[in-house]
Amino acid sequence: MKTKELLAPAGDMESLRQAIHNGADAVYLAGKKFGAREYAPNFTKKELPEAIKYCHLYDVKIYVTVNTIIYEKELPEALEFIEFLYLNQVDAIIVQDLGLIKIVRKKYPNLEIHASTQLNTHNLSQIKVLEKLGVKRVVLARELSLSEIKKLKTKMEIEVFIHGALCVCYSGQCLFSSLLMNRSGNRGSCAQLCRLSYKLLQDNEEVSTSGKYLLSPKELNTAIYFEELLNSNITSFKIEGRMKSPEYVGCVTKLYREIMDNILKYHVPSFHSQNYEDVERMFNRDFTSGHLFNVGSNKYMNITSSNHQGKRLGSVIQVTKDKIKILLEDELNQEDGIRFQNEDKGFIVNYLYDKDQKLVNHVDSDKIAYVDNKIALKSKGIVLKTIDKKLINRLKDYPLKKIAVDFKIKAHLNDLLTITITDGINIITKEGSIVNKAINQPTTEDIIIKKLGSLGNTPFEASNYDIDIDSNIFINMSELKELKHQLVSKLINEREQKIIRDTIIDNTKVLPDQRKIKANINITALVRTKDQLEACLKKNLDAIYVDNKELYENYKNKENVYLRLSRIMKNYEPLSNQKLLIGEIGALNEYSKNNELVSDYFLNVVNSENIKFLEENNVKRITLSIENNLENIKEITKNVHADLEMVIYGLPEVMIMKYCPLNYLINHNKGVCKVCQDQHEYSLLDSYHHKYPLLNEKSNHLTHIFYYQELDYISKIDDYIKVGVRNFRCDFFKESKEEVENILDKLISVKNSKVKDN
Ligand SMILES: [Zn+2]
């Protein structure tokens, strides 16, 4: 393969064409299900084989995302889909679900697997675990800096996002949209709550902030710094944007293709300013070089607007009930999109008028234009152009990529005419009829070159000719044309059919788990304070997870006390003979031999294959994802009888962020942030008046956002016992000792009554 790859997104066929013809080395896209962008058009089962062939024709690789968590009942359908892709010669699949990776690796040994960014891979230990699972490439977490990436000494191929939208939360770790809107980010249906407005509260008092989009990052753009990325250990450079327009995909791909080529050929990271400007005009929320280049929050976030910024079009100089008068600084065309910055309102210009209020379709820069006031605009101010129709039309008209081919022609008197076409890899020869002597006009080299060289609508262009002909011969032009046509069709076919695959190992039949589900019902708890810990000890809980290293140190000799590890691990201190609650897979590599492991709900466990994977890695007890419903747990326990735990009460975490809102909004990024560790309580307030507490993880300076209300399934414990869950966890947050005792008393008494009933 090429050592460095430009990877572009495709939400539909036209985006795919834009990506290819503007120079992508590879594209990624999704079918109608199991892709992390459910609201993109995506590809039908009829379109997918076409898309794969089209990519291969142009020597472009194609990766299909199957990067959602997969519920138990969906496993067969997901596998069926993967088999379909496999037989249709997809180059790789991009997967989030560890259970799915495990089963795909077994069944399709030749299928390349890429670990989705949804797996939140951010250190070498995690990469080692994925390597053992048979993953060929990892799409790294967007929180890693280039210098951290460079330190990853691994044979694993590394893929990194270089352009497009950013998440504020570590990918695969966001439950906000899932809990509040029932639209799971882990299922491709994120409602983008990070783009909404919030207020920051300090001890329930509003803190004034310069903007209201407190969770909205800018768009990643690394064009200017690209040389550093290209000269690193990164293999694949990924553009985000399966939900963006084909023209967006085209112009971003074009820009990075130009930069990559210039660096590789001339060692100069240059680009045409027009190409950069096109990218700017198509979509941006302001640009940032992101965590890749360690920017501070002020350069990462755009809290003043979560919309496309557009480009300054001019200013409003008069507003009436009917018309808005604008002094233009850029041309304005019918069907452009405009937005009035002050009132944050906009529309598509269907009717455009010149200075005399005459209907026109174009007004020049520096002139006066009128538009209808159909939005009840009241104030003057800056107007932005958010959709540039003329630009879009220009981007729609892109030159098609051509593949260079060589022709070889042999025409000797009384011998068969033979023509060969080659693209450098495939060599195809066709024979025609016997070559005769010319009666009138002999066929010359020039005539042959002209005929063969006119490749019109084919994907090819003729590069070299090797002509070996006798003089004074005659070749029938329609025969030559027909031979050329056959050669071209055969070559297209050869290029499209790249690899023949048949190895499918049918060893995935699930045998019933011979183990008995254990009888005991256990109560466990997650605690953050000494009071909570003491209360749990008093109630004799089966396991107590301590989310506080110092506190844990004082109690670690108790046999039921566990240390809860972070789900973002920069390094792994040596630990042995400890009881650990792990939040990410690197711990499997580091701690599974000498410690007792329980896995946390952040591992997104929603199927039996994922459970088996964790059990094989020495995890004794597995906490189910809080995205499971009763029905799915029931399906899981039909296939596996592991020791399962669930959170039955408590405040779930909805986000974990590298960004510290307090450092940005209160400390104004001045020096080391101490705000998040002061004595105040901080939270975010949304427009429904839900209050989401913030909590800082001291060692990593990471910010956790909690849900606005506790989940409480205590009264339903019986249902969960019936489907085979045996461990029930309470997550305590700010509860006092008494509150903890009350909740535990309630849970214990419900449990006891249910156990008696059964
Ligand atoms: Zn902070």
Side-chain angles (χ1 to χ4, degrees):
M1 66 163 281
K2 286 187 185 119
T3 49
K4 300 285 172 178
E5 171 189 280
L6 180 61
L7 176 56
D12 61 16
M13 267 298 196
E14 183 50 23
S15 301
L16 181 84
R17 284 189 281 267
Q18 281 270 9
I20 289 175
H21 295 295
N22 282 294
D25 299 308
V27 296
Y28 65 103
L29 49 86
K32 290 285 178 188
K33 282 186 91 174
F34 309 122
R37 291 290 196 190
E38 201 184 270
Y39 299 106
N42 297 325
F43 290 72
T44 62
K45 273 205 162 178
K46 191 168 161 281
E47 289 171 323
L48 278 168
E50 286 171 33
I52 295 171
K53 280 185 182 171
Y54 195 72
C55 286
H56 288 170
L57 173 61
Y58 286 97
D59 200 20
V60 167
K61 293 206 170 176
I62 177 164
Y63 312 137
V64 174
T65 59
V66 193
N67 58 344
T68 60
I69 49 171
I70 310 284
Y71 289 112
E72 189 71 17
K73 261 193 167 167
E74 294 172 330
L75 276 171
E77 194 192 344
L79 277 176
E80 206 176 286
F81 178 56
I82 288 167
E83 181 154 322
F84 169 80
L85 297 171
Y86 178 72
L87 294 173
N88 279 289
Q89 310 193 356
V90 72
D91 290 285
I93 54 170
I94 307 174
V95 189
Q96 168 181 18
D97 194 287
L98 290 167
L100 190 65
I101 293 180
K102 175 173 133 73
I103 196 165
V104 167
R105 182 68 302 140
K106 259 206 237 162
K107 197 168 178 187
Y108 312 100
N110 298 332
L111 180 56
E112 190 170 313
I113 302 172
H114 298 176
S116 167
T117 196
Q118 286 287 102
L119 268 162
N120 184 27
T121 310
H122 56 269
N123 68 44
L124 192 60
S125 302
Q126 296 162 341
I127 290 175
K128 284 179 183 167
V129 172
L130 293 172
E131 213 166 15
K132 267 194 215 148
L133 263 169
V135 170
K136 174 91 183 294
R137 176 186 294 185
V138 59
V139 189
L140 290 177
R142 280 170 276 197
E143 283 75 7
L144 281 184
S145 70
L146 180 57
S147 57
E148 286 170 317
I149 294 169
K150 281 180 178 167
K151 285 181 198 142
L152 297 171
K153 300 278 174 256
T154 174
K155 284 198 192 100
M156 179 87 82
E157 289 180 6
I158 291 176
E159 181 174 310
V160 165
F161 279 96
I162 55 160
H163 195 99
L166 291 164
C167 292
V168 75
C169 177
Y170 280 85
S171 293
Q173 297 296 305
C174 182
L175 293 168
F176 203 173
S177 174
S178 180
L179 280 166
L180 189 70
M181 312 290 285
N182 201 18
R183 283 175 52 178
S184 169
N186 288 324
R187 301 281 295 169
S189 42
C190 169
Q192 309 218 19
L193 298 176
C194 52
R195 305 296 179 192
L196 303 182
S197 69
Y198 296 90
K199 285 174 182 160
L200 175 65
L201 304 183
Q202 183 187 54
D203 302 325
N204 294 323
E205 294 288 320
E206 187 181 337
V207 178
S208 90
T209 51
S210 57
K212 54 184 180 174
Y213 301 100
L214 305 185
L215 295 175
S216 182
K218 296 177 178 178
E219 300 280 303
L220 184 63
N221 177 344
T222 60
I224 299 165
Y225 312 95
F226 197 69
E227 192 173 15
E228 254 192 276
L229 295 174
L230 197 62
N231 292 329
S232 73
N233 53 344
I234 301 168
T235 300
S236 180
F237 302 90
K238 185 175 208 163
I239 298 164
E240 183 275 345
R242 278 186 282 149
M243 306 221 292
K244 303 240 171 70
S245 68
E247 296 75 37
Y248 172 92
V249 170
C251 74
V252 179
T253 305
K254 186 179 178 184
L255 174 66
Y256 284 94
R257 176 80 275 154
E258 183 188 15
I259 298 171
M260 251 172 106
D261 285 350
N262 284 341
I263 298 171
L264 293 172
K265 277 185 212 148
Y266 313 115
H267 308 284
V268 183
S270 63
F271 49 82
H272 286 92
S273 56
Q274 174 77 73
N275 290 343
Y276 191 87
E277 205 177 290
D278 287 353
V279 167
E280 247 177 346
R281 283 181 170 230
M282 282 306 290
F283 189 87
N284 81 82
R285 296 179 171 104
D286 267 1
F287 287 126
T288 175
S289 56
H291 296 309
L292 263 178
F293 293 93
N294 278 319
V295 299
S297 303
N298 51 336
K299 290 186 176 161
Y300 191 78
M301 306 297 290
N302 177 6
I303 63 168
T304 53
S305 165
S306 62
N307 284 323
H308 171 38
Q309 297 302 289
K311 188 169 182 282
R312 192 178 159 117
L313 173 70
S315 43
V316 175
I317 49 177
Q318 193 182 68
V319 186
T320 65
K321 210 167 104 256
D322 300 328
K323 293 268 191 299
I324 303 166
K325 186 178 181 182
I326 306 168
L327 175 60
L328 297 179
E329 293 163 29
D330 187 8
E331 63 179 86
L332 181 59
N333 292 291
Q334 210 181 354
E335 290 182 66
D336 279 350
I338 59 175
R339 198 171 69 237
F340 301 89
Q341 206 173 37
N342 282 352
E343 299 185 25
D344 203 14
K345 291 176 186 167
F347 54 83
I348 304 281
V349 178
N350 294 320
Y351 297 99
L352 175 63
Y353 311 87
D354 66 7
K355 62 179 188 343
D356 303 321
Q357 302 211 23
K358 213 176 80 204
L359 213 51
V360 290
N361 53 28
H362 169 92
V363 180
D364 274 323
S365 180
D366 302 320
K367 296 268 160 49
I368 297 289
Y370 286 89
V371 293
D372 293 327
N373 190 0
K374 52 189 176 184
I375 49 169
L377 188 78
K378 289 187 181 68
S379 61
K380 295 178 189 175
I382 292 165
V383 194
L384 303 165
K385 192 194 281 187
T386 49
I387 299 172
D388 187 331
K389 193 63 188 174
K390 205 168 153 188
L391 168 64
I392 291 171
N393 286 338
R394 174 160 61 75
L395 293 173
K396 275 187 202 296
D397 185 26
Y398 50 89
L400 299 183
K401 193 167 146 178
K402 292 285 180 184
I403 302 151
V405 288
D406 295 344
F407 282 106
K408 192 171 172 178
I409 178 161
K410 222 160 75 182
H412 295 296
L413 262 181
N414 303 321
D415 213 347
L416 291 174
L417 167 69
T418 65
I419 308 176
T420 302
I421 191 170
T422 179
D423 57 2
I425 298 162
N426 303 286
I427 303 168
I428 300 157
T429 301
K430 288 269 177 202
E431 289 181 339
S433 49
I434 300 279
V435 177
N436 293 317
K437 204 169 167 182
I439 299 168
N440 299 319
Q441 287 244 301
T443 308
T444 62
E445 271 192 38
D446 287 351
I447 293 172
I448 292 169
I449 287 174
K450 199 171 167 216
K451 201 74 196 172
L452 288 179
S454 66
L455 289 164
N457 287 331
T458 74
F460 305 115
E461 67 186 357
S463 174
N464 293 304
Y465 301 90
D466 175 358
I467 297 177
D468 174 14
I469 60 169
D470 291 344
S471 56
N472 215 23
I473 54 158
F474 173 74
I475 298 169
N476 183 325
M477 281 304 118
S478 56
E479 184 184 10
L480 192 66
K481 192 178 159 191
E482 177 54 28
L483 285 174
K484 178 182 76 177
H485 177 73
Q486 288 177 16
L487 288 167
V488 164
S489 308
K490 187 84 198 299
L491 184 59
I492 289 176
N493 216 303
E494 290 291 316
R495 290 180 66 93
E496 286 176 350
Q497 307 295 329
K498 233 176 47 175
I499 1 160
I500 301 300
R501 281 173 168 155
D502 49 8
T503 325
I504 296 175
I505 300 171
D506 199 12
N507 57 358
T508 47
K509 198 160 177 276
V510 180
L511 299 170
D513 195 337
Q514 296 301 323
R515 297 173 294 179
K516 282 228 159 64
I517 294 178
K518 70 171 192 181
N520 289 355
I521 310 294
N522 295 331
I523 305 290
T524 71
L526 174 83
V527 298
R528 299 174 193 279
T529 66
K530 190 174 178 216
D531 279 355
Q532 293 171 351
L533 177 51
E534 289 287 351
C536 291
L537 284 170
K538 193 172 148 196
K539 297 292 168 193
N540 252 327
L541 297 196
D542 300 283
I544 304 164
Y545 311 112
V546 185
D547 194 3
N548 177 330
K549 183 82 199 299
E550 290 148 34
L551 186 59
Y552 167 78
E553 288 298 332
N554 297 330
Y555 289 85
K556 68 179 180 186
N557 295 327
K558 307 258 181 206
E559 77 179 308
N560 54 349
V561 172
Y562 288 65
L563 173 63
R564 183 204 222 179
L565 296 174
S566 176
R567 48 182 151 153
I568 308 301
M569 296 293 278
K570 289 216 167 126
N571 41 50
Y572 297 83
E573 61 166 317
L575 290 173
S576 57
N577 301 318
Q578 311 286 310
K579 292 177 291 297
L580 306 171
L581 177 65
I582 63 166
E584 50 75 55
I585 58 170
L588 302 177
N589 184 62
E590 299 293 326
Y591 298 138
S592 73
K593 283 203 185 83
N594 305 318
N595 298 279
E596 190 184 317
L597 304 186
V598 175
S599 67
D600 213 336
Y601 67 86
F602 307 125
L603 272 85
N604 294 323
V605 172
V606 297
N607 64 53
S608 58
E609 292 297 329
N610 201 340
I611 292 169
K612 286 183 212 164
F613 162 74
L614 292 170
E615 285 197 305
E616 284 162 15
N617 281 279
N618 247 341
V619 178
K620 293 280 180 294
R621 192 160 66 241
I622 289 144
T623 310
L624 295 164
S625 159
I626 60 174
E627 292 192 89
N628 281 292
N629 60 21
L630 185 67
E631 201 49 44
N632 190 54
I633 300 173
K634 192 173 164 188
E635 294 300 323
I636 291 174
T637 52
K638 281 180 189 167
N639 293 327
V640 72
H641 295 164
D643 197 11
L644 299 180
E645 178 155 330
M646 66 174 278
V647 177
I648 196 149
Y649 171 88
L651 211 53
E653 294 199 24
V654 295
M655 279 196 187
I656 177 166
M657 311 184 293
K658 191 171 179 178
Y659 153 66
C660 176
L662 306 177
N663 188 22
Y664 182 35
L665 303 167
I666 296 178
N667 192 38
H668 303 292
N669 271 37
K670 283 185 205 126
V672 180
C673 171
K674 290 194 176 113
V675 187
C676 50
Q677 283 160 41
D678 66 19
Q679 294 309 306
H680 299 290
E681 287 187 0
Y682 295 96
S683 53
L684 295 176
L685 189 72
D686 71 6
S687 55
Y688 306 104
H689 293 278
H690 296 147
K691 206 173 84 181
Y692 304 91
L694 302 176
L695 206 68
N696 191 265
E697 186 176 321
K698 279 183 196 141
S699 53
N700 289 330
H701 196 217
L702 297 171
T703 306
H704 299 245
I705 306 181
F706 287 77
Y707 202 43
Y708 72 94
Q709 65 177 6
E710 284 88 9
L711 302 179
D712 185 353
Y713 305 117
I714 292 177
S715 61
K716 294 190 180 138
I717 191 168
D718 198 25
D719 297 335
Y720 292 101
I721 292 172
K722 277 186 188 133
V723 299
V725 182
R726 288 295 175 265
N727 307 282
F728 296 94
R729 172 173 134 189
C730 293
D731 275 17
F732 295 114
F733 185 66
K734 296 258 160 115
E735 286 88 347
S736 67
K737 196 169 184 177
E738 290 68 34
E739 284 166 332
V740 168
E741 285 181 18
N742 288 340
I743 291 159
L744 290 175
D745 283 342
K746 181 181 162 199
L747 178 57
I748 291 164
S749 85
V750 174
K751 178 197 107 172
N752 289 340
S753 70
K754 297 299 176 190
V755 172
K756 237 180 273 160
D757 291 352
N758 292 330

